[in-house]
Amino acid sequence: MIRSLSIIKKTWFSKNTFGLEFSLPGIKPRPGQFFQVRVNDSMDPFLNRPISIASYSGNRLLLIIKIIGKGTNILSKRREREQVTLFGPYGKGIVPKRQKSILLAGGIGVAPLHFLAQMHYKRKIPFTFLYGAKTYDEIILKASIKHMANRSIFVTEYGSGRRGTVVSAVKGMDLSDYAIVYACGPQAMLIALQQLHLPLPVYAFCEDFLGCGCGLCLGCAIMYNGTYKRICEDGPVFELERIHFEN
Amino acid sequence: MKIKLFGTHLKNRVLLASGVFGFGLKFKRVTNSVGAIFTKGITAQPRKGNPPPRIYETSSGMINWVGLENPGVEYFCTNIIPQLKKLKTRIFVNIAGFTMDEYEHSVERIGDTVDGFELNISCPNVKEGGIAFGQNAKMASMVVARARKKTRLPLIVKLTPNFCDPLVIAKACVEAGADGISLINTVYATAYDIKKRKPLITGGLSGPAIKPFALYCVNRVRNVGVPIIGMGGIVSGQDAYEFLLAGASAVAVGSVVLRDPYAPLRIIKELKKFIYQETKHAR
């Protein structure tokens, strides 16, 4: 589905992370699903940027974007009331299970997990939100997370507050109370988490360079259960234990 | 916009290039509107494809290194062809291989269940076979001649622009019995990871960045004596029209569908306008 939507609100969450809000009635997105966002009408950058849904409530869609390179930098210059072309929602996403869970977010990985937290909150499923970033300034959506989560823990690698990473923090936690873990963050974090071999199922929200985002180009392969799956079409959420990270 | 190519009627001159639209079973509004689709490359045996990263964006284009991931010709014949038959468009199967026997086997196995074949002797993303046939006139000629013996259907040969003269290869293919030539396949390309100080990806470059080169190649082979399907970086009706001016009878769109799966619909409309203008002037 192709849509041209007007930005109804633009918010800067930190110095390199911003959110674009759109009015989009009539979709029923699942956590993990994403939109392919066209950067501009020129052919450079050529491909769209996959941006996961950070919030969908009352027909308002929030996409949170971190400036990583050229494309996201151009997107950061878009203003309110300007039109943006979106394709999607793409991806299978995940339907949250009615079990007490831990949401583990690393860096901008907080975006899709914030949407998952929203679903948990609406369905009254108890959860702990564990969120790590490099510095305290990069912790975003703090008030919203604190409001929704039964327990929220924020850790940073440098700077004030509790020191450490989400992986080191989850290692020290008593997990006997929980049934499931959802994790999203950089690949290094997911690999470290995989090596912990937690005694409960872990679902990882994966990322990669995407071509089409909708299963046409076979560009986003992930080795899962011994075969290549598409991150876009088959995921982007996979059981962490079964992923074999290759790059 | 209707045309007759290789004895087959196509509803228009805009086709879907191999590799970017899978088997054409999604976005059926698009597949049913184009003149024909070239399927994802099929090999004799299933292939799981290359490890990630398989795609990397570059200025006005992208590098891909998918590595011919496909379920193999047997699965294709039993499970995919019945679904393809329901589409309201012409189906050309892109055949890739590592030995001449494989090309021959796949063409024979598929038989006349489709509308034609595109012999892929130009994939840059596999270690052996494939492109080696496309860079050598003698070998290209042998692959075509052997496939020719196995089918009466239209046989198109997809050429590489990499390290060879497409005109020499095209002539050899036509002499060996090819009904058409499609070009260009992707251009050799590498992107570097400066932190690791080594290549991040080496594969085939596509997208608008290669269009001028593709136009040059099409123009170079224009008098080879069989219809040419031009491709390489087409994103608009004007681009498509330029390929027709360069000598192509039809065009195929590729990478642009990654940016917008509905782009072929727009390109068909835009190209119609250019062709209408042309016929108006001719009157």
Side-chain angles (χ1 to χ4, degrees):
Chain A
M1 189 74 178
I2 175 172
R3 295 182 179 93
S4 185
L5 298 178
S6 174
I7 300 169
I8 52 175
K9 195 173 166 205
K10 180 179 175 185
T11 318
W12 281 96
F13 291 103
S14 76
K15 68 176 193 298
N16 60 5
T17 309
F18 62 99
L20 301 178
E21 254 180 83
F22 304 93
S23 169
L24 179 54
I27 59 166
K28 279 189 183 158
R30 288 184 293 277
Q33 284 194 305
F34 59 93
F35 282 88
Q36 285 281 78
V37 180
R38 181 174 292 173
V39 174
N40 57 21
D41 286 335
S42 88
M43 288 298 152
D44 192 18
F46 185 58
L47 299 171
N48 304 322
R49 296 295 182 267
I51 308 290
S52 51
I53 299 168
S55 162
Y56 185 73
S57 173
N59 292 338
R60 277 171 80 121
L61 169 74
L62 171 67
L63 302 179
I64 296 182
I65 303 169
K66 183 178 177 183
I67 302 175
I68 302 285
K70 192 168 159 186
T72 43
N73 193 23
I74 295 170
L75 279 171
S76 74
K77 308 236 157 54
R78 306 302 285 274
R79 295 185 195 152
E80 286 177 7
R81 291 194 294 281
E82 282 183 5
Q83 297 279 314
V84 177
T85 304
L86 305 178
F87 297 86
Y90 288 150
K92 270 208 308 223
I94 192 167
V95 181
K97 298 197 170 114
R98 292 198 167 273
Q99 289 168 314
K100 189 172 181 185
S101 46
I102 306 180
L103 278 55
L104 278 183
I108 193 62
V110 69
L113 291 190
H114 180 264
F115 182 37
L116 180 66
Q118 232 175 18
M119 293 288 229
H120 274 79
Y121 182 67
K122 274 184 197 158
R123 296 177 185 191
K124 300 195 170 63
I125 308 169
F127 67 98
T128 293
F129 204 111
L130 176 49
Y131 175 14
K134 283 240 163 12
T135 64
Y136 204 75
D137 297 341
E138 288 177 29
I139 300 267
I140 63 169
L141 300 165
K142 199 174 174 183
S144 169
I145 292 167
K146 272 189 162 173
H147 172 70
M148 294 188 293
N150 300 60
R151 188 177 165 209
S152 49
I153 305 164
F154 301 94
V155 293
T156 58
E157 284 176 53
Y158 321 103
S160 54
R162 190 168 155 184
R163 287 283 185 100
T165 63
V166 284
V167 177
S168 64
V170 78
K171 214 169 160 181
M173 271 174 78
D174 174 17
L175 301 173
S176 53
D177 228 14
Y178 299 96
I180 195 162
V181 177
Y182 300 97
C184 184
Q187 200 178 84
M189 167 190 142
L190 296 179
I191 292 172
L193 190 61
Q194 195 179 44
Q195 284 161 357
L196 285 186
H197 298 292
L198 295 179
L200 61 176
V202 182
Y203 288 89
F205 290 54
C206 299
E207 61 170 9
D208 194 5
F209 298 121
L210 299 192
C212 59
C214 50
L216 295 174
C217 70
L218 314 186
C220 55
I222 185 165
M223 186 51 87
Y224 184 73
N225 249 354
T227 56
Y228 281 124
K229 297 275 182 192
R230 335 254 137 269
I231 288 183
C232 67
E233 199 185 31
D234 303 319
V237 188
F238 296 95
E239 237 181 284
L240 185 64
E241 276 298 307
R242 298 180 182 196
I243 300 175
H244 174 60
F245 291 104
E246 291 177 294
N247 57 326
Chain B
M1 280 255 286
K2 272 187 198 165
I3 55 161
K4 199 174 173 189
L5 265 189
F6 325 116
T8 311
H9 288 280
L10 309 182
K11 50 179 107 150
N12 59 60
R13 293 170 193 264
V14 179
L15 324 179
L16 274 172
S18 173
V20 289
F21 229 69
F23 295 114
L25 300 172
K26 291 174 198 154
F27 296 93
K28 286 192 180 153
R29 186 155 71 89
V30 179
T31 40
N32 287 333
S33 302
V34 294
I37 63 168
F38 292 96
T39 66
K40 174 88 193 136
I42 296 292
T43 49
Q45 299 302 323
R47 282 179 58 84
K48 64 181 176 133
N50 290 333
R54 289 179 172 186
I55 274 194
Y56 189 77
E57 188 183 55
T58 56
S59 296
S60 300
M62 52 174 271
I63 299 172
N64 91 77
W65 189 63
V66 172
L68 289 174
E69 176 180 334
N70 79 91
V73 73
E74 276 311 320
Y75 184 92
F76 178 74
C77 287
T78 20
N79 297 298
I80 313 250
I81 288 182
Q83 297 182 63
L84 288 176
K85 288 198 154 175
K86 292 180 195 153
L87 295 177
K88 298 182 192 87
T89 189
R90 301 288 177 190
I91 310 292
F92 289 83
V93 182
N94 183 288
I95 305 282
F98 304 93
T99 64
M100 295 204 191
D101 291 343
E102 283 183 27
Y103 283 97
E104 201 177 60
H105 169 76
S106 296
V107 169
E108 192 171 24
R109 176 68 186 87
I110 293 166
D112 56 3
T113 53
V114 294
D115 296 297
F117 295 97
E118 178 180 54
L119 293 183
N120 180 354
I121 54 169
S122 46
C123 179
N125 293 338
V126 288
K127 277 192 189 124
E128 62 291 314
I131 198 163
F133 297 126
Q135 288 168 327
N136 179 313
K138 216 174 178 181
M139 301 228 317
S141 157
M142 279 162 76
V143 175
V144 175
R146 285 180 63 175
R148 179 76 286 171
K149 281 188 196 143
K150 299 293 175 190
T151 183
R152 284 193 206 165
L153 294 180
L155 193 61
I156 301 162
V157 188
K158 186 162 183 176
L159 300 189
T160 176
N162 294 319
F163 303 151
C164 63
D165 181 352
L167 179 60
V168 174
I169 311 293
K171 278 182 180 163
C173 292
V174 173
E175 270 171 32
D179 299 304
I181 296 292
S182 58
L183 77 170
I184 59 174
N185 204 325
T186 53
V187 178
Y188 280 156
T190 296
Y192 264 78
D193 182 334
I194 54 167
K195 278 187 198 151
K196 292 185 185 160
R197 302 174 64 87
K198 59 179 194 183
L200 177 73
I201 185 170
T202 294
L205 180 66
S206 62
I210 67 166
K211 193 190 84 176
F213 183 43
L215 282 168
Y216 177 88
C217 293
V218 168
N219 187 55
R220 182 158 175 79
V221 303
R222 68 183 302 158
N223 295 321
V224 78
V226 294
I228 292 163
I229 294 159
M231 68 192 85
I234 294 173
V235 300
S236 68
Q238 180 174 328
D239 293 340
Y241 190 61
E242 288 170 11
F243 274 88
L244 299 186
L245 296 180
S249 303
V251 299
V253 296
S255 303
V256 69
V257 302
L258 272 57
R259 182 184 158 92
D260 175 4
Y262 303 98
L265 303 177
R266 173 178 54 79
I267 295 170
I268 290 168
K269 234 188 244 172
E270 290 172 0
L271 180 60
K272 249 182 203 166
K273 274 187 201 155
F274 280 99
I275 291 174
Y276 175 73
Q277 288 292 333
E278 186 186 76
T279 45
K280 213 167 89 179
H281 282 298
R283 270 181 225 143

